[in-house]
Amino acid sequence: MAERNLIGGTWAGGSGGETFTSFVPATGETLDTFPRSTAADVDRAVAAAKDAFGDWRLVPAPERGAILFRFAELLRAHKPELTDLMTREMGKVKAEAGGDVQEAIDMSLFMAGEGRRLHGQTTPSELRDKFNMSIRQPIGVVGAITPWNFPIAIPSWKLAPALVCGNTVVLKAAEDTPKLAERFVELLAEAGLPDGVVNLVQGFGEEAGDALVRHPDVRVISFTGSRETGVAVAKAAAETLTHVHLELGGKNAILVCDDADLDLAVDGIVWSAFGTTGQRCTAASRVIVDRAVYGELQKRLVARVEALRLGPGWEDGVDVGPLINAAAVEKVDGYTRIGIDEGAKLLTGGERVSGEGGCFYRPTVFADVEASMRIAQEEIFGPTTALIPVDGFDEAVAAANGVRFGLSSSIFTRDVNRAFRAMRDLEAGITYVNAGTTGAEVHLPFGGTKDTGNGHREAGSAALDVFTEWKSIYVDYSGRLQRAQIDNVDS
Ligand code: UN1
């Protein structure tokens, strides 16, 4: 049995004896075998994390940050290797895989710096000779459940803030990218984390993930994935009143106004809709276009999309890699059928790539999509985008907001008034002006409104709110009993 769970500083096999395999989506080849962990494995990992919390919470935050600085250095030193592995295990193209690792470097550096901030507040007391302050405190064991689409970046979004704040972690990474999760944790350990501060349990959501969410000693769950699973996580965690941070789906729209720079808009659409093969929660799966430029935009967009080169991510000159697995190809193809049945016009794509061993699907553009159609409402998580024609700015904003999700949004316009209205009125956690829907930077809050989450944010200092609890402290140095709300108020 492969010893690939990290528990209390020791690499261990799974207790159930079952294994699962990681594949190369571009070829279908087998990459490696991992333990399919059980609730018993999760139990051991949580116990190790709980045990390690006692000391880790007392390590000065700047020292915890220093370990993250070292982790960032190690990520940088291993960037070529991790990038190459990511093109194989996850499938994204080289430039984007490098970007994924870079995002983890950036996040680790940002959160390392938090070790010397982690600001609380001091504030006057209403009473004399009394001092008031609030401080952030770690919460305890954090369960991090991460997706395969950003297999190095997203674990860093969760683990770097959790750790610098003084929590310990059990990571259950996606079963499609276990090797990358293993390398991530190996490098963290190498950076100098004490045993048990980070633990890794490989396996599936139904067993390992579920056990982690329900474990009474896990105080915070941070989950990125589908809306459906997010709801299940929230329900399961309710029983133990575990804090839950959810980062769920998107149905992100790009608005193209009649005054837009169309070539720039096409650049933004191609990059946001087909980068990472559309497998980003920030992907532009809707393009809402003013009828004045609708025909011209279609023409320019289709020409660009048909020129995109598909292939394995590790090859030079490839624009679009494979989907993550065969089930994803089925899902994306199913939505092509749904779009056609709904009466949308298939402009290009809409089929598997034959003659390849891997999970390739042609970049797909639908036109004449109505805002209420399923392909304009549901998250497809693949290389499919829907063009929705509208008359004017107000109709565009209404269409953009007419979905359950609210992660990212974008507007192409040269009109500053429209740009500011869009910043105010688009119901999303992120709005880009004259850029596509992807490309969030680590020092700003990341997350969405409506069904995209449950009100929390990752990244930036906002992430600290997920991984700390406030403590308010009152120090009375008057030497006598002073009663707030009473002694300082006349009658
Ligand atoms: C995701 O798809 O889950 O803004 C995260 C972006 C990336 C992160 C995407 N920096 O597209």
Side-chain angles (χ1 to χ4, degrees):
M1 160 69 67
E3 301 192 323
R4 310 193 97 154
N5 284 339
L6 183 65
I7 297 180
T10 305
W11 290 94
S15 60
E18 278 190 56
T19 58
F20 69 99
T21 306
S22 153
F23 292 96
V24 178
T27 60
E29 284 165 287
T30 300
L31 193 69
D32 221 330
T33 301
F34 296 85
R36 182 166 179 152
S37 305
T38 62
D41 299 316
V42 169
D43 212 34
R44 288 168 55 218
V46 172
K50 192 179 175 192
D51 192 43
F53 179 64
D55 282 337
W56 183 243
R57 63 183 272 273
L58 301 178
V59 171
E63 223 175 284
R64 296 194 297 249
I67 294 175
L68 290 180
F69 277 124
R70 278 202 292 283
F71 179 52
E73 281 166 22
L74 285 168
L75 284 172
R76 191 175 283 133
H78 290 271
K79 188 173 171 182
E81 166 221 322
L82 293 169
T83 299
D84 184 64
L85 176 61
M86 202 182 303
T87 63
R88 287 166 208 282
E89 190 177 48
M90 185 275 164
K92 63 176 78 175
V93 300
K94 227 186 283 180
E96 293 187 45
D100 190 314
V101 179
Q102 188 59 45
E103 202 160 327
I105 296 170
D106 296 345
M107 184 63 84
S108 302
L109 292 175
F110 179 83
M111 289 300 168
E114 278 300 336
R116 287 192 184 270
R117 289 187 296 268
L118 281 183
H119 296 306
Q121 300 152 339
T122 60
T123 183
S125 169
E126 64 188 48
L127 296 161
R128 285 175 187 254
D129 299 329
K130 194 175 173 194
F131 183 85
N132 293 351
M133 63 183 158
S134 62
I135 60 169
R136 289 184 182 277
Q137 291 212 302
I139 305 177
V141 178
V142 170
I145 304 178
T146 55
W148 47 262
N149 71 329
F150 276 81
I152 295 289
I154 292 183
S156 83
W157 293 13
K158 300 190 189 304
L159 270 62
L163 294 172
V164 81
C165 290
N167 304 283
T168 55
V169 179
V170 176
L171 171 63
K172 203 303 273 176
E175 62 272 18
D176 286 292
T177 50
K179 179 86 188 154
L180 285 157
E182 179 181 272
R183 291 296 295 128
F184 181 90
V185 165
E186 272 172 352
L187 293 175
L188 254 181
E190 198 180 324
L193 278 185
D195 291 349
V197 171
V198 167
N199 305 274
L200 173 67
V201 176
Q202 299 280 16
F204 288 71
E206 304 93 84
E207 300 129 16
D210 188 65
L212 190 58
V213 171
R214 292 178 192 278
H215 201 293
D217 289 334
V218 173
R219 299 308 313 146
V220 183
I221 287 287
S222 178
F223 168 81
T224 298
S226 70
R227 179 190 186 281
E228 197 191 4
T229 310
V231 170
V233 165
K235 283 186 183 161
E239 209 51 58
T240 42
L241 292 171
T242 305
H243 298 193
V244 176
H245 157 247
L246 301 173
E247 188 52 58
L248 310 175
K251 193 67 194 175
N252 315 294
I254 291 180
L255 276 55
V256 183
C257 296
D258 56 4
D259 65 338
D261 175 338
L262 281 195
D263 284 329
L264 183 61
V266 168
D267 282 344
I269 296 163
V270 170
W271 175 236
S272 304
F274 304 113
T276 327
T277 320
Q279 302 171 110
R280 290 192 190 213
C281 51
T282 52
S285 51
R286 298 184 296 152
V287 183
I288 299 169
V289 192
D290 195 291
R291 276 186 214 278
V293 292
Y294 186 56
E296 186 58 28
L297 183 97
Q298 283 184 48
K299 208 174 76 195
R300 294 191 205 180
L301 179 62
V302 169
R304 283 284 303 282
V305 172
E306 290 183 345
L308 291 172
R309 223 194 113 200
L310 272 64
W314 58 85
E315 277 183 14
D316 288 328
V318 170
D319 301 305
V320 179
L323 285 161
I324 187 68
N325 53 34
V329 177
E330 283 306 313
K331 181 180 176 194
V332 171
D333 197 51
Y335 273 104
T336 297
R337 304 297 131 223
I338 289 168
I340 291 167
D341 288 349
E342 285 179 309
K345 184 171 155 199
L346 182 63
L347 287 185
T348 184
E351 56 183 7
R352 296 175 169 85
V353 181
S354 53
E356 297 265 4
C359 302
F360 290 95
Y361 201 84
R362 288 216 185 283
T364 301
V365 181
F366 276 106
D368 301 350
V369 176
E370 282 166 27
S372 59
M373 289 179 179
R374 284 184 64 192
I375 56 167
Q377 290 288 328
E378 297 172 17
E379 187 174 45
I380 301 173
F381 223 65
T384 302
T385 201
L387 305 187
I388 304 169
V390 291
D391 290 305
F393 176 78
D394 291 341
E395 211 180 301
V397 171
N401 291 343
V403 293
R404 74 197 317 182
F405 296 113
L407 181 52
S408 188
S409 57
S410 138
I411 182 167
F412 283 87
T413 181
R414 291 171 166 120
D415 179 336
V416 70
N417 297 352
R418 282 178 176 165
F420 270 88
R421 288 204 178 100
M423 290 180 232
R424 186 191 58 195
D425 295 338
L426 288 174
E427 294 168 2
I430 305 169
T431 294
Y432 290 89
V433 177
N434 292 325
T437 52
T438 64
E441 301 173 29
V442 304
H443 49 300
L444 276 77
F446 181 93
T449 60
K450 303 198 283 190
D451 284 13
T452 292
N454 59 344
H456 296 291
R457 292 291 181 269
E458 323 209 60
S461 328
L464 306 179
D465 293 332
V466 172
F467 298 109
T468 54
E469 273 187 309
W470 286 108
K471 174 178 268 192
S472 298
I473 298 171
Y474 302 90
V475 183
D476 193 316
Y477 55 96
S478 69
R480 60 184 189 280
L481 176 71
Q482 299 197 85
R483 298 174 304 172
Q485 295 97 33
I486 298 172
D487 292 339
N488 53 332
V489 178
D490 293 339
S491 72

